[in-house]
Amino acid sequence: MLHPHTKGAAVQNNPHTTLVTPTAPIAAETHGGRAKCLQRLVRLDLPVPRTVALSFQAVDRIGQGHLPDVEKVVAEFPEGALMCVRPSSQDPDWGGPGAVMNIGINTAKYESFCDTMGEDAASALYTRFVQSYAVHVARLDPDIFDDVSGDPRSALGQSLHAYEAEMEEPFPQDRAAQLSAVLLSMSRAWHGTSARLLRQAKGAPADAGLGLVVQQMAFGVGHGTSGTGVLQLVSSDTGLPQVTGRYKSQSQGRDGLEEKTAMYLTRDPRGPSLQDIEPEVFETLIGHAQLMRTKLRAEMQVEFVLEDGTLHILDGVRVARSSQAAVHIAVALADDGIIPREEALMRVEPRTLSELLHRQVAPGAKRDVIGSGIAASPGAATGRIVFNAADAQASASRNEPCILVRRETSPEDIRGMQAAHAVLTERGGITSHAAVIGRGMGLPCVVGASNLRFNLKRRTITSADGRVFNAGDEITIDGTSGEVLVGAPAMREAALDDTFKRFMIWAEEVADIGIRANADTPADAQTAHHFRAEGIGLCRTEHMFFEPGRMTVMREMIFANTGEDRRAVLERLLPMQRNDFKQLFRIMEGKPVSIRLFDPPLHEFLPTDKAGQRELADALDLPLSAVTRRIEELSEYNPMLGMRGVRLGVTVPEIYEMQARAIFEATVEVSRDGAPVVPEVMIPLVSTRREVELVKTAVDAVAAAVSSETDTDFDFHLGVMVETPRAALRAAEIAPYCSFLSFGTNDLTQMTYGLSRDDAGRFMSAYVQRGVFAEDPFHVMDTDGVGELVKLGATRGRMAQPGVTLSVCGEHGGNPESIAFCREVGFDYVSCSPFRVPVARLAAAQLAIKDKLGL
């Protein structure tokens, strides 16, 4: 067997080229993860072949032409032993150059192997090395071996001839010279431009180091039971216990593991298995894997070799895992006492939870991509193209999945979005209407797909390569990657099982900042409740007015001439609004619900096309000219900075009065039936103290009236949405009138930058790529600019009103980096789309754990 030993270790005391022993100076930060793992396996007394580890510094010097004492490295291995060189980066995900095996074989050694393992096996070893050396070390074109054929000895002769003809020199025969060339080649491959860009895309720093391990070859070819394989104790898809992997007789490396000739590991009616032919070896292998799981504190994939029935462990790597598997593995390790719960929480990347919450395109599925945009709402869905809300609703009535395609969505499209399985828009950014509503509904959404041509008149979309897709054609929206695909690729279903729920409860117990959900409808609230949100941090009431029966009433109110006329019309909306709030309060079971009063400009409720205007004129029994005149009166050059939010509440106070009454009457009714309700009334788009004074006076008056009429005392909190820079700067004046300040960072970012959140998607990717912005500021909070305003507002607000509650209710509330900032500033909670609650909660838990550990 090829066991490492300490005697005669000429390189052992050199930290840059050191024999892997239990006490050798090896660390992942200096020699890479593979070298460190091999040392741990040696400490477990597993049958690891003799190995020498080269440090990052040594490999870096090799790339500069300064080789270590290769003769001393070679001397660490038995005379005539072959070697393999494999990469050892700090993080396995960063990759590295491919392994080179059978270093040291030459013509004399080949003849010796023919006697000991047979001519075919020896020829295969030599041929593999010749071709690998030619391509990866000598940098020859692989095509020179295309015509190699015949029996193994003939193939070897042809390979040697092809190499020597191309290089015009004999194939190198000296073991040290071969190893030197391989080391130099792998070092330079790591430092190449393409390799550097590739690993940076995977999150590696620009100066990431590479270590190399030189390991004695254990042969999976030869006499007796010989072969290679991999084994793991869990499924990579589910994380549940399951011995998986493959074994291939008479093979090297991982080449044969996907071939039909590979064997199963465990007994299987479909064919022979390792457990059948070598039951003792199989049980030993299982024991080694279990030991690695316990001692290395992770589920490991074991790479092994059988050499004439003798087992060698070449390597151990963390099991590849889906998001579902990551959660199951972490929970199982904690349940078995191998790691504490806090560490289990740290083992799962928060963003990957989105893959658990939504249906996804299956890994490995064929993807025919026709366009791409901003991945605005995760998940994937397949359906037939429709171009308006009415067609989406018609499809839903026929139980036909559809994809709603719009240039950009508006509040009028909400019914179509509810009927569709996914949304695709030509315009928009991460906080555009389609993106925000899609995330709230858990609806896959791609926005800003500007490389597709939309022709809504002809009802077509055209891809960059000229393919035309009509209404009724089937496409798939991948809101996780931002891609638009042709047809219906295989899907992986969402996986929210009991293990996931337990994992999230652990996170809830650790997190020290509250997590609420933005929810506008009973369905949203139900989702928020299911994910154990601590309340609703933002309920956008305007979305309740776009139901068909309510839209007409809203339009009547808009055309009313006096306040009394408006109140009369709004009386018809009052019971509808009251019922909305009763449903929300009951679903949330006494948890706080923050209700934002009406925010959008009134023109959004009026039709923009002639046909719609004629229908409205008929419905209201008005001349068409009166309808068009009123629409013109309400039109604005910049409606997002116009007559909306508190400005409507001050100038058209009847709307806020009706909403306040609906909130308080619902509070009284629901509190009688169950847990007391303490609603939070939020005023949007505030800029001045006087705006708050006026609305507060009106809301207090309605509260007093409802209390008197119902003979019931109730509590409520009044607060503002800080989404203008002035509100943040003047928070000291505003806070004394408020119970809470909720920072609406979508609009605050828009106004601070002077960027349209709906249009910025057209150039944002170019800005990020060219380093103008480090990240899309609508996706990750700009802690320097917008963050400074948030800090100022929070500090000044708390100085003037020490008990004021602080929160973020923009989409940044679901972003892990932004949560870290909010927690640092001392916010009480963040609020985000319901389906982002688990992501936010895990991120908050990990931040608390890092603080506890001083990381």
Side-chain angles (χ1 to χ4, degrees):
M1 294 181 68
L2 304 174
H3 291 288
H5 57 80
T6 58
K7 293 183 179 179
V11 299
Q12 187 177 352
N13 295 322
N14 182 342
H16 300 299
T17 54
T18 183
L19 184 70
V20 177
T21 66
T23 58
I26 294 173
E29 295 76 17
T30 56
H31 292 75
R34 172 170 273 137
K36 187 61 186 176
C37 182
L38 287 170
Q39 184 180 49
R40 289 171 175 154
L41 299 185
V42 168
R43 287 172 179 167
L44 297 176
D45 200 29
L46 296 183
V48 178
R50 195 172 180 83
T51 306
V52 171
L54 277 65
S55 70
F56 296 168
Q57 184 176 333
V59 176
D60 188 53
R61 285 180 55 79
I62 290 170
Q64 298 169 19
H66 304 292
L67 286 164
D69 191 335
V70 177
E71 291 288 355
K72 284 188 176 181
V73 173
V74 171
E76 286 301 315
F77 301 96
E79 181 67 29
L82 303 193
M83 297 166 290
C84 171
V85 179
R86 288 183 291 173
S88 179
S89 56
Q90 186 169 342
D91 187 323
D93 291 340
W94 297 348
V100 179
M101 293 184 284
N102 304 326
I103 301 165
I105 195 169
N106 53 28
T107 302
K109 191 66 182 172
Y110 163 67
E111 296 296 344
S112 173
F113 280 159
C114 286
D115 294 335
T116 58
M117 67 174 60
E119 185 176 290
D120 285 357
S123 298
L125 292 182
Y126 201 178
T127 300
R128 181 189 187 102
F129 179 59
V130 169
Q131 295 189 1
S132 179
Y133 189 94
V135 173
H136 299 295
V137 179
R139 306 294 180 191
L140 300 182
D141 194 320
D143 292 351
I144 68 171
F145 301 113
D146 282 352
D147 296 329
V148 171
S149 61
D151 61 80
R153 190 175 189 107
S154 174
L156 171 60
Q158 294 172 55
S159 298
L160 284 167
H161 177 75
Y163 174 90
E164 292 169 359
E166 193 73 21
M167 293 295 294
E168 298 182 349
E169 64 182 27
F171 189 79
Q173 299 291 296
D174 180 71
R175 187 164 66 153
Q178 291 176 356
L179 179 59
S180 297
V182 170
L183 295 177
L184 182 61
S185 171
M186 294 180 79
S187 174
R188 289 181 174 171
W190 175 260
H191 290 103
T193 301
S194 298
R196 187 171 63 253
L197 292 174
L198 183 61
R199 62 178 176 270
Q200 282 184 249
K202 296 178 180 178
D207 60 350
L210 176 74
L212 294 172
V213 293
V214 184
Q215 191 173 70
Q216 184 176 340
M217 286 295 303
F219 299 113
V221 297
H223 297 300
T225 305
S226 297
T228 60
V230 293
L231 175 144
Q232 60 191 53
L233 301 178
V234 296
S235 163
S236 289
D237 286 334
T238 67
L240 297 175
Q242 180 184 351
V243 177
T244 63
R246 299 299 286 273
Y247 169 77
K248 180 171 171 58
S249 179
Q250 301 298 321
S251 68
Q252 284 193 300
R254 296 177 171 231
D255 292 352
L257 298 182
E258 301 300 325
E259 295 182 9
K260 294 179 181 178
T261 53
M263 290 183 188
Y264 300 100
L265 291 177
T266 57
R267 290 190 179 93
D268 195 297
R270 293 172 292 178
S273 70
L274 181 62
Q275 189 175 16
D276 290 323
I277 63 172
E278 286 284 356
E280 291 185 9
V281 169
F282 176 79
E283 291 303 323
T284 300
L285 193 55
I286 293 292
H288 289 339
Q290 291 170 338
L291 180 65
M292 289 167 65
R293 177 181 188 265
T294 302
K295 296 299 184 180
L296 274 61
R297 306 167 68 250
E299 289 289 357
M300 304 294 288
Q301 184 184 79
V302 185
E303 184 178 349
F304 65 93
V305 170
L306 281 184
E307 185 176 20
D308 198 10
T310 299
L311 177 64
H312 304 283
I313 304 298
L314 299 188
D315 199 7
V317 296
R318 288 185 63 191
V319 166
R321 62 203 67 192
S322 67
S323 299
Q324 180 186 4
V327 172
H328 273 275
I329 289 170
V331 170
L333 290 170
D335 285 345
D336 292 345
I338 295 173
I339 61 175
R341 287 183 178 182
E342 288 82 0
E343 187 171 345
L345 291 170
M346 298 299 292
R347 293 276 182 100
V348 179
E349 173 65 32
R351 287 185 178 85
T352 64
L353 291 185
S354 292
E355 299 173 17
L356 277 168
L357 307 177
H358 305 278
R359 201 169 181 237
Q360 302 285 342
V361 176
K366 184 179 179 181
R367 303 173 72 98
D368 184 359
V369 180
I370 59 170
S372 62
I374 296 170
S377 180
T382 299
R384 301 196 178 279
I385 297 172
V386 297
F387 285 91
N388 56 59
D391 287 347
Q393 290 177 291
S395 292
S397 68
R398 298 190 299 269
N399 292 319
E400 294 177 356
C402 67
I403 307 297
L404 179 62
V405 176
R406 302 289 290 159
R407 204 170 297 285
E408 55 189 335
T409 62
S410 70
E412 285 185 289
D413 291 310
I414 286 179
R415 285 173 292 145
M417 295 177 72
Q418 291 170 338
H421 281 57
V423 175
L424 170 66
T425 70
E426 181 182 17
R427 301 172 184 159
I430 197 72
T431 56
S432 63
H433 179 271
V436 171
I437 301 305
R439 283 193 293 274
M441 296 168 60
L443 188 70
C445 180
V446 172
V447 301
S450 55
N451 57 356
L452 289 169
R453 293 202 310 275
F454 290 58
N455 190 323
L456 302 189
K457 185 176 292 186
R458 295 184 178 179
R459 294 158 62 88
T460 64
I461 55 175
T462 305
S463 65
D465 61 8
R467 285 183 283 177
V468 178
F469 299 88
N470 301 285
D473 288 346
E474 189 176 58
I475 61 172
T476 294
I477 299 299
D478 187 344
T480 303
S481 69
E483 292 179 336
V484 183
L485 316 175
V486 178
M491 294 284 185
R492 172 184 278 169
E493 299 302 323
L496 304 180
D497 54 16
D498 290 340
T499 300
F500 172 80
K501 293 174 184 175
R502 288 179 59 214
F503 184 76
M504 294 315 304
I505 290 173
W506 294 354
E508 185 178 341
E509 291 169 350
V510 172
D512 55 7
I513 183 172
I515 308 295
R516 294 196 196 178
N518 300 340
D520 307 332
T521 66
D524 292 343
Q526 199 67 58
T527 302
H529 182 70
H530 176 70
F531 289 136
R532 298 174 63 89
E534 296 170 36
I536 293 176
L538 172 62
C539 173
R540 293 162 286 222
T541 54
E542 59 270 11
H543 294 151
M544 300 171 176
F545 292 94
F546 285 96
E547 294 294 325
R550 306 182 189 193
M551 179 76 85
T552 302
V553 181
M554 276 298 294
R555 287 171 170 174
E556 285 186 46
M557 187 275 297
I558 292 170
F559 279 83
N561 292 318
T562 66
E564 287 305 312
D565 290 343
R566 283 192 289 272
R567 287 189 176 92
V569 176
L570 289 168
E571 280 292 321
R572 291 155 55 195
L573 279 178
L574 175 62
M576 303 178 194
Q577 277 271 273
R578 183 170 59 235
N579 188 57
D580 291 331
F581 299 136
K582 283 165 59 178
Q583 289 185 69
L584 292 182
F585 294 154
R586 285 183 174 132
I587 290 169
M588 297 313 294
E589 298 177 343
K591 292 178 180 177
V593 176
S594 186
I595 299 168
R596 184 179 73 184
L597 298 175
F598 192 86
D599 182 43
L602 292 177
H603 75 85
E604 288 192 3
F605 291 86
L606 299 177
T608 56
D609 61 298
K610 286 296 183 183
Q613 291 167 7
R614 282 193 293 270
E615 288 179 12
L616 179 58
D618 290 340
L620 300 181
D621 194 23
L622 291 172
L624 179 60
S625 59
V627 170
T628 55
R629 184 169 58 251
R630 183 62 172 147
I631 291 173
E632 288 171 2
E633 289 171 357
L634 290 174
S635 65
E636 297 175 294
Y637 288 111
N638 195 340
M640 287 300 98
L641 299 179
M643 182 69 77
R644 56 169 284 217
V646 69
R647 298 156 194 169
L648 269 174
V650 170
T651 57
V652 188
E654 299 82 14
I655 299 175
Y656 279 11
E657 290 170 7
M658 181 276 291
Q659 288 192 300
R661 175 168 285 275
I663 292 168
F664 298 140
E665 289 180 354
T667 297
V668 171
E669 287 191 43
V670 175
S671 295
R672 285 173 181 162
D673 302 334
V677 174
V678 182
E680 298 177 353
V681 181
M682 183 155 63
I683 310 170
L685 210 71
V686 163
S687 294
T688 72
R689 177 185 64 189
R690 183 59 179 159
E691 290 171 323
V692 183
E693 288 177 338
L694 291 170
V695 175
K696 177 176 168 50
T697 299
V699 171
D700 285 345
V702 173
V706 172
S707 179
S708 175
E709 292 163 12
T710 60
D711 194 24
T712 305
D713 291 330
F714 56 86
D715 292 325
F716 72 95
H717 299 308
L718 184 90
V720 303
M721 200 165 177
V722 180
E723 47 194 332
T724 68
R726 193 180 194 280
L729 293 171
R730 307 307 296 172
E733 295 177 359
I734 294 170
Y737 295 86
C738 303
S739 297
F740 62 91
L741 301 176
S742 187
F743 288 77
T745 51
N746 297 348
D747 265 331
L748 187 58
T749 299
Q750 179 171 241
M751 295 186 194
T752 302
Y753 273 89
L755 278 175
S756 165
R757 66 189 195 186
D758 294 314
D759 299 321
R762 298 184 186 184
F763 59 84
M764 188 59 67
S765 60
Y767 257 52
V768 173
Q769 288 170 7
R770 301 191 67 176
V772 180
F773 298 155
E775 296 280 356
D776 181 341
F778 292 109
H779 185 221
V780 178
M781 188 190 296
D782 161 34
T783 56
D784 294 331
V786 177
E788 187 169 352
L789 279 172
V790 171
K791 279 184 182 178
L792 276 172
T795 302
R796 292 176 180 180
R798 281 225 163 122
M799 285 180 63
Q801 174 77 294
V804 71
T805 297
L806 300 176
S807 67
V808 161
C809 61
E811 283 303 304
H812 294 115
N815 174 262
E817 291 87 351
S818 304
I819 293 170
F821 171 80
C822 294
R823 185 174 171 275
E824 179 186 331
V825 173
F827 276 40
D828 297 282
Y829 70 86
V830 296
S831 189
C832 56
S833 301
F835 282 93
R836 299 181 83 184
V837 167
V839 176
R841 173 157 289 131
L842 180 56
Q846 291 183 351
L847 290 166
I849 292 168
K850 287 178 181 178
D851 264 8
K852 181 180 176 182
L853 298 176
L855 300 177

